Amino acid sequence: MKALDLKAAAASIDALWSPRVAAQVNDTYVKLARIQGDFVWHAHEHEDEMFVVLKGRLCIRFRDGDVWLEEGQALAIPRGVEHCPHAPEEVHIMLVEPAATVNTGDAQGDERKQDAPIWLE
């Protein structure tokens, strides 16, 4: 076993909006990602998910208003709640979600959908 430097691992990811699994804890994945711009509006019917900002500033848009997260802040989004991550500048995040979670949730046709998990190298 060895410690994982979350910030360095997130910075090493080569593509935006392409989460990498950093660890598995029981049936839950801990994922890291670099993001910028807008993602797709979506919801996860059966899974809650948590966003943790490692670097930068992230906006999570909801139909009834936005929540801004600063470095070191986190937000848990309950299953079924439609949301859209938005990052005006590059942000590094950690996601905590069940292993079965599809990154694009119920949205159809987004080219950023991951059909299988991609593990950190």
Side-chain angles (χ1 to χ4, degrees):
M1 293 197 309
K2 67 178 191 173
L4 173 64
D5 183 328
L6 295 172
K7 289 184 176 186
S12 75
I13 296 170
D14 60 354
L16 295 175
W17 298 108
S18 184
R20 302 292 196 263
V21 179
Q24 183 169 0
V25 181
N26 299 313
D27 295 330
T28 300
Y29 280 158
V30 176
K31 297 179 180 179
L32 301 174
R34 292 176 42 236
I35 63 174
Q36 185 172 6
D38 290 316
F39 200 53
V40 62
W41 279 95
H42 67 285
H44 303 281
E45 183 179 351
H46 302 289
E47 303 96 7
D48 302 331
E49 71 177 334
M50 177 179 244
F51 287 80
V52 180
V53 176
L54 302 173
K55 177 183 173 188
R57 187 169 188 248
L58 174 65
C59 178
I60 306 290
R61 293 180 170 158
F62 297 97
R63 294 297 182 183
D64 61 352
D66 299 342
V67 175
W68 283 92
L69 301 174
E70 306 292 334
E71 283 185 28
Q73 291 186 316
L75 179 67
I77 301 174
R79 68 195 72 191
V81 175
E82 191 176 25
H83 59 284
C84 178
H86 168 71
E89 297 181 8
E90 186 172 313
V91 178
H92 297 182
I93 61 171
M94 179 173 69
L95 297 161
V96 181
E97 57 194 15
T101 303
V102 175
N103 64 325
T104 55
D106 61 357
Q108 301 295 317
D110 192 281
E111 69 276 359
R112 294 168 291 192
K113 178 182 178 187
Q114 288 183 340
D115 291 317
I118 303 171
W119 287 79
L120 273 177
E121 294 182 12

